[in-house]
Amino acid sequence: MPRVITGGTVLIVMSILCFFSAWLTPHPPNAVDLSARLQPPVFVGGTFEHVLGTDELGRDVLSRVMVGGRTSMAIGALAVVVSLTIGSTLGLLAGYFGRRLDAVVTMLSEIQLALPSMLIIFFFLAVIGPNIITIAIVLALADWVLYARMVRARTLVEKTREYVDAARVLGVSTSRLLLRHLWPNVFPTVMVLAMVSLGGVILSESALSFLGLGVQRPWPSWGRMVADGQSRLQAAWWIAVSPAFCIAMVVFSANLLGDGLRQLWKVE
């Protein structure tokens, strides 16, 4: 329970700060002020006007971290929702009906697992071009296999339970059986996997932005900010360290929440 509270609280606080950044940022994220360039954070001699300092163009790092977090976390959340929906649906149907559908889903998942996921992501982004929706969908298509295999395995176990036989005897329709009986028992496993996947997706988006294949300038994202600040690590370390710290906090909190939910729901 403490892990759920700690991880959930950190994620909620960071989500509020990021998604409501349009009203909470102290400065416009792209406002250039060359007279205030490379000011340090307040805790190492800076001023409260720029709490986390400024970058080489005088832009407020705190404001850019908040707006960049909105971008990174929105991509991560959208990718998780899409991959969860696709993978869980296919896994639930394959596990329940079996036979040809199960064979097709298993074959597709094995083909995708045999290919490097980052290679697939690079290919689609190079062909389609990077934007928030494209990045989220590409990351989702790289992760749906995890949900499909997990839900399929769990469904194969659950459909042998007595409550499923009882529902069939009572004449419950297939759709109702899947949605009202099987899915609630599979849902805890899916949520634990979703929390763990959220951290991985945000890391992948940050890596893409760091390599220049993610969100493009001038709009900030955490990975792009780390890439922009790496050349000034010695003189202005706060430019890269601030977004890197936020990435680490979100990933750690998501994993902590997922592990806490696993223990709370006794998911194997």
Side-chain angles (χ1 to χ4, degrees), residues 218-233:
W219 204 251
S221 73
W222 285 340
R224 169 60 65 183
M225 292 182 67
V226 173
D228 292 342
Q230 67 170 338
S231 61
R232 296 182 178 272
L233 279 176

Side-chain angles (χ1 to χ4, degrees), residues 39-54 60 62 237-238:
Q39 288 189 4
V42 65
F43 47 84
V44 289
T47 64
F48 282 98
E49 184 179 0
H50 301 287
V51 176
L52 292 182
T54 59
D60 184 63
L62 175 60
W237 51 266
W238 55 87

Side-chain angles (χ1 to χ4, degrees), residues 49-241:
E49 184 179 0
H50 301 287
V51 176
L52 292 182
T54 59
D55 62 9
E56 67 278 3
L57 297 178
R59 296 174 297 189
D60 184 63
V61 172
L62 175 60
S63 300
R64 291 180 62 79
V65 165
M66 292 171 67
V67 175
R70 181 178 62 187
T71 304
S72 298
M73 294 184 71
I75 291 175
L78 180 59
V80 168
V81 169
V82 174
S83 59
L84 184 153
T85 302
I86 296 174
S88 297
T89 302
L90 292 176
L92 190 66
L93 295 177
Y96 182 78
F97 290 106
R99 298 184 180 181
R100 293 183 179 179
L101 179 59
D102 188 19
V104 170
V105 173
T106 301
M107 181 185 66
L108 291 175
S109 63
E110 289 178 349
I111 291 174
Q112 180 160 334
L113 288 174
L115 299 173
S117 59
M118 292 305 292
L119 181 62
I120 299 174
I121 293 172
F122 289 159
F123 172 78
F124 278 104
L125 290 180
V127 172
I128 303 175
N131 58 65
I132 292 178
I133 302 298
T134 302
I135 296 171
I137 292 176
V138 170
L139 291 174
L141 293 178
D143 273 357
W144 71 270
V145 174
L146 301 177
Y147 296 93
R149 292 171 67 90
M150 184 70 73
V151 172
R152 172 187 173 274
R154 190 65 187 173
T155 303
L156 288 174
V157 174
E158 290 296 326
K159 77 174 185 178
T160 61
R161 307 287 190 188
E162 293 181 355
Y163 71 86
V164 175
D165 294 332
R168 288 171 178 164
V169 171
L170 293 173
V172 175
S173 63
T174 301
S175 59
R176 184 179 178 84
L177 177 60
L178 289 173
L179 296 177
R180 296 293 299 273
H181 297 276
L182 277 175
W183 175 246
N185 290 285
V186 176
F187 179 75
T189 303
V190 174
M191 284 304 300
V192 171
L193 181 58
M195 288 297 101
V196 176
S197 298
L198 177 62
V201 170
I202 291 178
L203 275 178
S204 298
E205 185 278 328
S206 299
L208 291 174
S209 296
F210 183 86
L211 295 173
L213 294 174
V215 179
Q216 301 298 301
R217 293 186 179 93
W219 204 251
S221 73
W222 285 340
R224 169 60 65 183
M225 292 182 67
V226 173
D228 292 342
Q230 67 170 338
S231 61
R232 296 182 178 272
L233 279 176
Q234 293 184 342
W237 51 266
W238 55 87
I239 300 176
V241 170

Side-chain angles (χ1 to χ4, degrees), residues 251-266:
V251 173
F252 174 76
S253 300
N255 289 336
L256 190 66
L257 178 58
D259 187 57
L261 291 176
R262 180 184 62 81
Q263 293 182 353
L264 180 64
W265 290 334
K266 296 180 174 59

